[in-house]
């Protein structure tokens, strides 16, 4: 199957009270690991690149080609959505141009009116090409320049206005954080999620899905979250498995230094995390 947009997939998730996982890729191994998990579980999946990862890999077109060609060579038959994660205005436009099937325009740090106007513009450009759009309102916490934010709450009125632009999925801050969660984190704000879900029919997105306890993620999904982003957890699993391989001296045994061997445990660890999360999210078979 070639890559698809998010049409139908996320509306079905919202009405069916399950979520579809969105996993960030960084290179060939990550792409293969994520796709393998989707195929093995026979579930739809979203592969996404941040602006930084795309720059690291050599640009959006390369990332798109990498995913498309890997889908083809691995014989992947489940729906795969190619998504831009946290794009600014220029990145979203570029990915629409290049042919991503879904883009996130993240204007949360702009004045609200500007976020609203630019979201409308991106929705018009994307929908004309059958590309789905995620927008963000309120900020998602996390470490930025050494300052750790607690995770701000999305304003319900602002969220309603952004949803009314026709976005296909909406990321709202409900106390969630990118990266590792601090020890004093107080958890997701389910009161705010309830208020948002009551007035917004658009499938909601939970960012910073790494480190939120399973029970809280599942409760959020039952309340209207239809897309959960996972990034840090895969990074940690990859690093841990790779460290174990080297610390065990396996890179010094025979041809253990061959990257195809050295990177294999980390790659498998990513597949395992993705499969576990798909199970948590209750994603049904395609
Ligand atoms: Zn995010």
């Amino acid at each position: 199957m070639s890559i698809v947009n998010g049409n139908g997939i996320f509306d079905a998730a919202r009405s069916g009270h399950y979520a579809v996982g969105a996993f960030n890729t960084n290179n060939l191994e990550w792409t293969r690991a994520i796709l393998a998990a989707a195929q093995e579980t026979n579930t739809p999946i979203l592969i996404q690149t941040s602006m930084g990862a795309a720059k690291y890999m050599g640009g959006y077109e390369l990332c798109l080609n990498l995913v498309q060609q890997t889908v083809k060579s691995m014989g992947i038959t489940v729906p795969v959505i190619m998504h831009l994660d946290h794009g600014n205005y220029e990145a979203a436009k570029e990915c629409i141009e290049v042919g991503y099937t879904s883009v996130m325009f993240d204007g949360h740090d702009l004045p609200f009116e500007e976020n609203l106007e630019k979201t409308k513009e991106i929705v018009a450009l994307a929908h004309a090409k059958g590309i789905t759009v995620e927008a963000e309102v309120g900020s998602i916490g996390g470490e930025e320049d050494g300052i750790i934010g607690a995770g701000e709450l999305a304003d319900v009125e602002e969220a309603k206005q952004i949803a009314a632009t026709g976005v296909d999925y909406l990321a709202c801050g409900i106390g969630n954080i990118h990266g590792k969660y601090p020890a004093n984190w107080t958890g997701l704000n389910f009161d705010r999620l309830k208020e948002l879900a009551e007035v917004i029919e658009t499938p909601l997105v939970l960012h910073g899905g790494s480190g939120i306890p399973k029970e809280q993620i599942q409760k959020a999904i039952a309340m209207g979250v239809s897309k959960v982003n996972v990034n840090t957890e895969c990074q940690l699993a990859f690093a841990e498995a790779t460290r174990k391989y080297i610390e065990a001296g396996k890179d010094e045994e025979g041809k253990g230094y061959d990257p195809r061997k050295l990177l294999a445990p980390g790659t498998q660890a990513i597949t395992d995390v993705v499969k576990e999360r798909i199970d948590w999210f209750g994603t049904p078979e395609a």
Side-chain angles (χ1 to χ4, degrees), residues 63-110:
C63 293
L64 176 66
N65 287 336
L66 172 67
V67 172
Q68 280 175 326
Q69 292 304 318
T70 310
V71 163
K72 194 173 161 190
S73 75
M74 289 177 75
I76 301 296
T77 56
V78 295
V80 176
I81 300 159
M82 181 69 193
H83 181 73
L84 168 68
D85 188 28
H86 289 288
N88 61 21
Y89 179 72
E90 289 73 27
K93 280 174 71 166
E94 192 179 339
C95 288
I96 290 168
E97 195 64 36
V98 162
Y100 273 46
T101 54
S102 183
V103 294
M104 176 181 190
F105 166 59
D106 179 356
H108 86 267
D109 54 352
L110 301 172

Side-chain angles (χ1 to χ4, degrees), residues 85-86 178 207 229:
D85 188 28
H86 289 288
H178 289 121
H207 282 244
N229 285 18

Side-chain angles (χ1 to χ4, degrees), residues 111-185:
F112 178 71
E113 286 305 322
E114 193 179 347
N115 184 7
L116 186 64
E117 283 313 306
K118 289 211 158 98
T119 299
K120 277 183 194 164
E121 211 180 305
I122 294 296
V123 167
L125 287 171
H127 284 184
K129 293 181 76 177
I131 297 166
T132 38
V133 179
E134 175 179 348
E136 177 168 327
V137 63
S139 108
I140 289 149
E143 190 174 337
E144 238 175 4
D145 297 328
I147 296 161
I148 297 176
E152 290 168 24
L153 300 181
D155 180 89
V156 177
E157 270 313 305
E158 289 184 357
K160 267 170 79 175
Q161 288 186 56
I162 295 278
T165 63
V167 293
D168 302 277
Y169 11 72
L170 183 61
C172 304
I174 52 167
N176 42 324
I177 296 174
H178 289 121
K180 281 187 170 178
Y181 280 71
N184 62 355
W185 182 60

Side-chain angles (χ1 to χ4, degrees), residues 3 27 31 68 78 117 183 188-189 205 207 221-222 250 263 284:
I3 59 170
N27 62 19
T31 303
Q68 280 175 326
V78 295
E117 283 313 306
L188 294 178
N189 188 313
V205 184
H207 282 244
I221 290 170
K250 292 191 179 163
L263 298 176

